[in-house]
Amino acid sequence: MPDATSLPPADREVARVGGVFYGDTGGTGDGSGMPVVLLHGFLFGQSMWRAQVAALSARGHRVITVDLPGFGASAVPEEPATMSTYSTAVAAIIDQLALPPVALVGYSMGGQVTLDTYAARPDLVARVVLVDTVAHTDLPEVAQGRRDLAARLEREGVRQYAEEFLPQLLRLDGASAATVSHARTMMQAANPVGAARALRARADRPDYGPVLDACPFPVLIVVGEHDHFDQGRFGAGMAERAPYGTLEVVAGVGHTPPLEAPDVFTGLLARFLGN
């Protein structure tokens, strides 16, 4: 049984495809909007999208959220995992639900899964939203740092690292106590083996820059003004590469606009989907 950190809102259908847990608003929207698939980031789960699910379904969108393999209530993938492990799982859910081409929205690690999914199955995707992510490969020292962290999490678990990582995800002097608690709870509940396999997959990921270069549809890039990882340049670079790219900077927040500024972020997303 999934724990509370991975459960979508109570009025949503839940199911599994190949060991991967997802939530689906099903027929709760009026069907007037494009279906939306939301992909969480590292150490998080699908519950990070609760505010967006409620708002988008009210606007007529069918909304699907996914616990990526090894996170939330989803099974840990076989070793070695690759980025294809995650994108294949996403594609299988879209295929299972027989959805028309979707808006694929990915935050951080989920943004890289979004690009991998589009690269492998462009027939499934009509629009892309990338939130505080990067398309380029890691520098060798960064990739090695991911592998070292994977080994640490397998030895020690995730609880101590979650406390170290939290200030890099949220601007703590601006985030609400509820937001901090939600993020901490998701991270501390993460499976260390699943997290380690995701880190190794990301360390060996391909360069998604050429995928952005070839996107024939609108791409929205969203970054937090104070994102520790974006450094004020990676999101802008991706928006320049995508032929129909748009950059939006969310003021006053860090790496996680969907949690730190849910109303602002959801407004940007809704306008993009409605255009």
Side-chain angles (χ1 to χ4, degrees):
M1 178 67 182
D3 64 60
T5 63
S6 65
L7 285 172
D11 61 347
R12 301 182 63 209
E13 301 171 9
V14 294
R16 291 181 188 271
V17 173
V20 177
F21 185 70
Y22 70 91
D24 177 14
T25 59
T28 58
D30 64 13
S32 61
M34 181 183 297
V36 182
V37 178
L38 302 169
L39 304 179
H40 65 80
F42 180 65
L43 294 187
F44 279 6
Q46 63 175 291
S47 74
M48 74 164 285
W49 300 111
R50 284 174 176 162
Q52 288 74 43
V53 169
L56 293 176
S57 60
R59 288 172 167 83
H61 296 278
R62 183 174 181 177
V63 186
I64 294 88
T65 55
V66 180
D67 278 339
L68 293 170
F71 295 98
S74 291
V76 173
E78 297 285 333
E79 183 82 299
T82 67
M83 293 306 293
S84 179
T85 301
Y86 304 94
S87 60
T88 298
V90 173
I93 292 168
I94 297 172
D95 281 335
Q96 175 74 20
L97 295 174
L99 297 173
V102 305
L104 201 50
V105 181
Y107 158 70
S108 198
M109 173 186 167
Q112 293 159 356
V113 177
T114 290
L115 290 170
D116 205 86
T117 303
Y118 173 66
R121 292 289 308 275
D123 58 304
L124 300 181
V125 183
R127 291 195 181 190
V128 160
V129 180
L130 303 172
V131 187
D132 287 283
T133 192
V134 296
H136 57 265
T137 55
D138 285 340
L139 294 171
E141 60 269 27
V142 175
Q144 187 57 49
R146 292 192 198 276
R147 298 184 188 103
D148 293 344
L149 177 58
R152 175 189 167 186
L153 296 184
E154 288 173 327
R155 290 192 311 270
E156 301 177 5
V158 299
R159 293 187 68 86
Q160 178 57 42
Y161 178 70
E163 293 304 312
E164 298 168 17
F165 194 36
L166 188 61
Q168 300 177 55
L169 297 182
L170 307 176
R171 193 176 182 215
L172 294 181
D173 59 355
S176 70
T179 295
V180 174
S181 177
H182 185 192
R184 176 180 282 120
T185 299
M186 283 190 291
M187 289 193 292
Q188 291 186 344
N191 185 309
V193 177
R197 291 182 183 176
L199 284 164
R200 294 187 181 107
R202 294 177 75 196
D204 294 329
R205 70 183 184 273
D207 180 8
Y208 296 119
V211 179
L212 278 173
D213 293 340
C215 275
F217 46 65
V219 176
L220 176 63
I221 313 293
V222 181
V223 298
E225 179 186 13
H226 302 289
D227 181 16
H228 170 82
F229 302 103
D230 183 74
Q231 302 174 25
R233 60 192 178 100
F234 294 130
M238 290 190 295
E240 289 178 2
R241 290 194 72 158
Y244 305 99
T246 300
L247 175 68
E248 295 283 358
V249 178
V250 180
V253 305
H255 185 63
T256 316
L259 287 179
E260 295 176 272
D263 292 343
V264 174
F265 173 78
T266 305
L268 293 172
L269 183 56
R271 285 192 293 276
F272 175 74
L273 296 174
N275 288 338

